[in-house]
C-alpha cells in the first residue's frame, strides 16, 4: 500500500511539470496557438534557422530568406528578436503583410509581451516630455526677440 501511494505521488509530480512546460516548449495550448518565450526565439538566429517576432507573433522565415527583396542580411540582423519596429519603418505593402501569415508558427509568450510593452511605454513617456521642450524653448526665444525688436523700433521712432 505504501508503494502505491509513492507511485501515485511520483506520477502526479511527473505530470505537473509536463503541463507547466506546455507553453514554455512552444506546444499547442487551448485555442491551437503555440506560445514561445524570448529565450526560445533567441536561439533561432542563424541562416539555416531564422525566426522573427513581429507584433507579438512568431514567424519562421528560414525558407523566405533568399526570396526577400531587401536581401537576407536585413532579416538576419533581426533574427531571433523583435523586428516589429524595423518591419514598420520600411513600410511593407499589404501583399508583404499577407505573405507573412504563411510563415506564422505561434505567438510570443504573454509574460514576455508585458516586458516589451512596459519598456515601450516608458520610452514613449520620456519622448513626449522632450518633444514639447523642443518647440517650447524656440517659441519663447522667438517671443523675446519679437518683443526686443518692437521695443528697439519704438525707441528709434520716438527719437
Amino acid at each position: 500500500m505504501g508503494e502505491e501511494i509513492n507511485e501515485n505521488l511520483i506520477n502526479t509530480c511527473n505530470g505537473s511539470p509536463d503541463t507547466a512546460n506546455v507553453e514554455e516548449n512552444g506546444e499547442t495550448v487551448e485555442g491551437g496557438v503555440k506560445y514561445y518565450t524570448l529565450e526560445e526565439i533567441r536561439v533561432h538566429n542563424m541562416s539555416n534557422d531564422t525566426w522573427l517576432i513581429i507584433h507579438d507573433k512568431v514567424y519562421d522565415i528560414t525558407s523566405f530568406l533568399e526570396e526577400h527583396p531587401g536581401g537576407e542580411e536585413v532579416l538576419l540582423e533581426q533574427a531571433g528578436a523583435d523586428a516589429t519596429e524595423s518591419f514598420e519603418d520600411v513600410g511593407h505593402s499589404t501583399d508583404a503583410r499577407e505573405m507573412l501569415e504563411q510563415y506564422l508558427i505561434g505567438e510570443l509568450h504573454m509574460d514576455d509581451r508585458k516586458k516589451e510593452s512596459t519598456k515601450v511605454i516608458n520610452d514613449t513617456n520620456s519622448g513626449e516630455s522632450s518633444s514639447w521642450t523642443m518647440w517650447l524653448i524656440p517659441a519663447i526665444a522667438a517671443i523675446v526677440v519679437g518683443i526686443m525688436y518692437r521695443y528697439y523700433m519704438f525707441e528709434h521712432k520716438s527719437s
Side-chain angles (χ1 to χ4, degrees):
M1 183 164 176
E3 291 175 14
E4 287 179 18
I5 294 172
N6 286 341
E7 271 184 45
N8 288 339
L9 286 174
I10 290 170
N11 291 338
T12 305
C13 290
N14 286 342
S16 299
D18 289 341
T19 55
N21 287 334
V22 166
E23 289 183 3
E24 289 180 38
N25 294 329
E27 306 235 353
T28 305
V29 293
E30 291 180 32
V33 178
K34 291 184 181 180
Y35 290 93
Y36 298 94
T37 62
L38 280 174
E39 291 77 27
E40 288 175 315
I41 297 165
R42 284 187 182 124
V43 299
H44 299 277
N45 61 358
M46 306 299 287
S47 60
N48 60 349
D49 184 24
T50 310
W51 290 13
L52 291 177
I53 304 167
I54 299 175
H55 296 293
D56 295 328
K57 293 185 178 181
V58 182
Y59 300 93
D60 182 352
I61 57 159
T62 308
S63 61
F64 180 69
L65 287 177
E66 293 178 6
E67 300 173 28
H68 188 252
E72 66 181 69
E73 297 82 18
V74 179
L75 297 174
L76 289 173
E77 286 176 7
Q78 300 293 323
D82 190 344
T84 303
E85 187 174 343
S86 299
F87 183 82
E88 292 301 333
D89 286 348
V90 171
H92 284 90
S93 66
T94 305
D95 292 338
R97 292 172 191 278
E98 289 173 4
M99 182 185 284
L100 191 60
E101 293 303 313
Q102 70 188 9
Y103 301 103
L104 179 68
I105 58 171
E107 294 187 13
L108 185 61
H109 193 276
M110 295 298 183
D111 293 341
D112 292 328
R113 289 183 193 189
K114 292 175 185 173
K115 293 176 190 171
E116 294 294 319
S117 63
T118 303
K119 184 168 52 172
V120 170
I121 291 169
N122 291 341
D123 289 347
T124 304
N125 290 341
S126 65
E128 289 175 4
S129 65
S130 65
S131 66
W132 69 267
T133 57
M134 294 298 288
W135 65 265
L136 184 63
I137 293 172
I140 291 173
I143 291 170
V144 169
V145 168
I147 292 171
M148 289 174 55
Y149 176 76
R150 290 218 173 210
Y151 178 75
Y152 177 75
M153 292 303 285
F154 182 72
E155 288 293 319
H156 279 332
K157 285 183 181 178
S158 298
S159 0

